[in-house]
Amino acid sequence: MIIKLFPKILVFILALTFFAGTIKAQAPLATDMICGKWMAAENNLKVEVYKENGDYKAKIIWFKTDDDSKPMDGWTDKHNPDKNLRERKILGMNVVKDLIYEAKSNSWEHGSIYDAKNGRYWDASACLTKDGTLKVTGYWHFKFIGRTMTFKKVS
């Protein structure tokens, strides 16, 4: 009796193993939970966070300004201290770079964030709250001196 059931049991085990592997392969890594499109709490900035060569980065994919004198893709990095970069577009510009996931703190650390309003880079870190909110902190040497922006995932 058991010999007759053996092929069916074997097929069942193989199918179960295959589906378990497929589910595991589709589940995002904890380190990559930061990736995706995020809208600022003020609804004035949308960024896309992505992973490149082990580092996490973010680029501007939409923003809102009170000045309607030019279209969104007409704004440039005019405050950049490097004169050669002052003509680069704000739209599509990387504003966060070099974030590295740290499992102990369940956060992304040691990055930098660019503030196009004054052309400065700041130290940066990011974390996800229990409700899925992304908190990005730009700071100078000490986090408690910094400024935190809050984002909600949009895709």
Side-chain angles (χ1 to χ4, degrees):
M1 177 77 172
I2 194 86
I3 293 175
K4 289 182 180 180
L5 290 175
F6 184 72
K8 291 180 182 180
I9 293 171
L10 184 59
V11 168
F12 176 75
I13 291 171
L14 288 174
L16 189 60
T17 304
F18 172 77
F19 288 120
T22 302
I23 292 169
K24 184 177 181 182
Q26 292 175 349
L29 299 172
T31 60
D32 293 341
M33 294 298 290
I34 195 174
C35 294
K37 295 178 182 171
W38 299 86
M39 177 65 79
E42 298 82 14
N43 292 320
N44 61 354
L45 175 66
K46 189 188 293 185
V47 297
E48 182 173 7
V49 179
Y50 62 99
K51 186 177 182 180
E52 183 177 83
N53 299 325
D55 294 334
Y56 294 87
K57 301 177 180 188
K59 64 182 174 182
I60 296 175
I61 59 173
W62 179 88
F63 64 94
K64 182 172 137 182
T65 178
D66 294 333
D67 184 350
D68 293 335
S69 64
K70 51 185 146 184
M72 189 184 326
D73 66 350
W75 290 95
T76 59
D77 190 13
K78 65 183 180 182
H79 299 293
N80 196 303
D82 183 344
K83 292 179 183 179
N84 296 323
L85 296 177
R86 290 184 182 161
E87 294 302 315
R88 72 177 173 171
K89 304 281 186 189
I90 299 290
L91 191 64
M93 182 171 61
N94 278 322
V95 289
V96 176
K97 63 181 183 176
D98 302 329
L99 286 174
I100 299 169
Y101 182 73
E102 289 192 356
K104 283 185 179 180
S105 61
N106 193 29
S107 63
W108 293 261
E109 303 290 340
H110 313 293
S112 59
I113 188 167
Y114 181 72
D115 183 354
K117 290 181 181 177
N118 60 28
R120 293 201 54 190
Y121 277 98
W122 302 94
D123 295 324
S125 66
C127 67
L128 289 172
T129 63
K130 289 182 182 182
D131 69 352
T133 301
L134 175 63
K135 302 263 185 184
V136 180
T137 302
Y139 59 96
W140 185 66
H141 296 292
F142 305 102
K143 287 183 188 177
F144 65 87
I145 298 175
R147 178 177 169 240
T148 300
M149 294 181 69
T150 304
F151 294 85
K152 291 285 185 184
K153 198 159 199 174
V154 293
S155 68

